[in-house]
Amino acid sequence: MNITIKFRGDDGFHNRLLSYLKQHLPFQILSLTPLRKNVYIVSLKDGFQFVLKGYSSLRRLKIQEVFTQSLKKAGFDYSYSFYSLPNEHRLFFESQYFGFLEYLRRGENTFYYDSMDHCQEGLTLLQSFHIASEKLVDSYRTILPAFHLIDKWEERLQQFQANAHVLSSFLQKEVIEGLIYWAEWSLTGLRQEKESLYSFPNVILHGDVAHHNFFRISTGELYLIDFDLISTGPSIADYLQYSNRILPFLSWSIKELSSFQLLQSYFQHPVFLYALAFPTDIFREWNRLVKEHTYNDVRKVRSVMELTLGQLDERLAFYKQLETNIN
């Protein structure tokens, strides 16, 4: 047996977990390899592998198990499945419930938002996910939280404003004030168009469409993974987040973004244009930096500074073009 550590963590915890698994699983375990916090690859002596993932509550684990199963029944096959143990035996170790996920072997062509083809491929997969999740939304309405875009962004703006005294050590006053201006402009428009916001199909939202949650498997197919942030809400919320994720790779070009056929209809709605002007990614990262007190970490600060300033001129020109288009 061995343990392969890919990130800094508690070696003692990994050894205790391995010992616990050997005692409670009817398998011969060869290795336990951490992928990220609370996620491990378990390799068995017969060559079989699966992913072990920890959840803070049994309810969270059960929702993930049932939801991925529901997705498959609704016709969405491009994700993993959960395995179940005999007699519904549950692994509970040091305040976490562990689930068993299908191991997906990574393909050579890693997915990233580095080309128009990749951006289109991810968008098409997200649309397929929504088509399936729309069939499930009524069944999960009382189980999953409802997503309220305006409330979430108002809170994010308030946190950014409250953190301004810390941020002033890193950003010029004009930059902070400019970002706040566009956030307030965006929210004003969203409040005016609130009824339109909820006119889009109600689906189960993925909630985290970062490139690393689109996974290329060894056969070349693209899978959608990690449903920890699912909620119910209008489909536009996922497409807004997706647009925000790919815009840096499109150099903040309205022409490039609107060239995706799936998004073209959204550009006819002012609510979509107002929402595109909210600097949610910048606010999220600075707020996290302050919350976690990691603003003394040079590497992390450099990353957030690059996010903020690296394409600031292009971003501001994009916002101004949105304003022109609405007017």
Side-chain angles (χ1 to χ4, degrees):
M1 81 185 71
N2 60 44
I3 299 178
T4 305
I5 305 300
K6 290 192 174 183
F7 59 91
R8 291 183 178 179
D10 181 356
D11 292 2
F13 175 83
H14 300 141
N15 281 289
R16 294 194 303 274
L17 177 59
L18 178 59
S19 178
Y20 175 85
L21 294 175
K22 289 176 62 66
Q23 293 176 24
H24 291 82
L25 294 181
F27 315 125
Q28 289 186 306
I29 299 175
L30 179 65
S31 66
L32 179 68
T33 306
L35 288 179
R36 58 184 184 276
K37 186 177 181 181
N38 302 326
V39 183
Y40 308 84
I41 295 177
V42 179
S43 301
L44 307 183
K45 289 187 176 180
D46 62 4
F48 186 78
Q49 293 179 301
F50 61 87
V51 174
L52 187 72
K53 184 172 181 178
Y55 295 87
S56 60
S57 70
L58 181 58
R59 183 177 186 276
R60 287 179 178 272
L61 170 56
K62 287 294 295 180
I63 288 175
Q64 293 298 308
E65 290 177 339
V66 174
F67 177 69
T68 52
Q69 184 179 39
S70 298
L71 266 183
K72 297 293 178 74
K73 291 182 179 179
F76 187 79
D77 295 324
Y78 300 100
S79 191
Y80 47 64
S81 297
F82 276 79
Y83 298 124
S84 58
L85 289 178
N87 302 320
E88 285 295 315
H89 180 72
R90 292 291 175 185
L91 291 183
F92 180 72
F93 179 75
E94 296 194 9
S95 303
Q96 288 191 315
Y97 289 89
F98 284 89
F100 303 85
L101 290 75
E102 176 186 4
Y103 175 73
L104 302 175
R105 192 169 300 280
R106 185 183 296 275
E108 295 181 0
N109 184 16
T110 301
F111 181 85
Y112 201 67
Y113 296 138
D114 56 355
S115 71
M116 293 293 285
D117 286 343
H118 280 184
C119 292
Q120 178 61 59
E121 188 180 14
L123 196 56
T124 300
L125 183 62
L126 184 59
Q127 181 186 38
S128 298
F129 169 75
H130 285 162
I131 291 172
S133 75
E134 187 177 3
K135 302 174 187 176
L136 306 173
V137 68
D138 288 338
S139 300
Y140 283 84
R141 195 181 305 277
T142 60
I143 299 173
L144 299 178
F147 182 79
H148 298 291
L149 180 69
I150 297 176
D151 293 346
K152 180 176 180 178
W153 282 1
E154 285 179 338
E155 180 182 359
R156 188 163 285 181
L157 169 60
Q158 290 170 6
Q159 290 175 346
F160 185 80
Q161 290 173 312
N163 294 331
H165 67 288
V166 177
L167 307 184
S168 62
S169 299
F170 305 96
L171 300 174
Q172 294 181 345
K173 179 181 178 181
E174 293 76 12
V175 172
I176 295 174
E177 291 179 346
L179 293 171
I180 291 174
Y181 167 82
W182 284 109
E184 291 177 337
W185 179 85
S186 173
L187 285 170
T188 298
L190 286 173
R191 295 187 196 102
Q192 294 172 354
E193 300 288 336
K194 185 174 181 179
E195 186 174 339
S196 174
L197 181 63
Y198 290 96
S199 67
F200 295 91
N202 197 36
V203 301
I204 295 178
L205 300 165
H206 183 277
D208 187 9
V209 291
H211 69 88
H212 53 77
N213 286 332
F214 292 84
F215 188 89
R216 180 87 60 195
I217 65 172
S218 58
T219 58
E221 295 173 304
L222 191 64
Y223 275 40
L224 189 60
I225 62 174
D226 286 346
F227 303 101
D228 294 356
L229 298 182
I230 53 175
S231 61
T232 62
S235 59
I236 189 176
D238 266 349
Y239 293 125
L240 281 167
Q241 188 185 96
Y242 193 89
S243 297
N244 189 264
R245 293 285 187 176
I246 68 175
L247 273 166
F249 303 94
L250 304 179
S251 299
W252 293 90
S253 167
I254 285 184
K255 181 180 179 181
E256 295 287 344
L257 185 64
S258 61
S259 69
F260 296 105
Q261 186 176 0
L262 194 154
L263 296 179
Q264 288 174 2
S265 62
Y266 287 89
F267 273 87
Q268 307 305 313
H269 298 271
V271 67
F272 186 70
L273 304 183
Y274 278 120
L276 285 174
F278 191 87
T280 182
D281 54 338
I282 292 177
F283 286 1
R284 179 188 64 238
E285 296 307 319
W286 281 113
N287 289 342
R288 178 182 297 159
L289 208 66
V290 175
K291 181 180 179 181
E292 297 177 353
H293 300 283
T294 52
Y295 38 78
N296 293 322
D297 186 322
V298 175
R299 181 182 58 82
K300 290 186 177 180
V301 170
R302 185 184 297 119
S303 175
V304 183
M305 289 286 286
E306 175 61 27
L307 170 68
T308 307
L309 303 177
Q311 292 183 318
L312 185 60
D313 290 342
E314 294 90 338
R315 184 191 287 256
L316 295 180
F318 174 80
Y319 291 167
K320 291 176 182 177
Q321 185 62 53
L322 292 173
E323 183 180 36
T324 300
N325 289 0
I326 290 176
N327 292 337

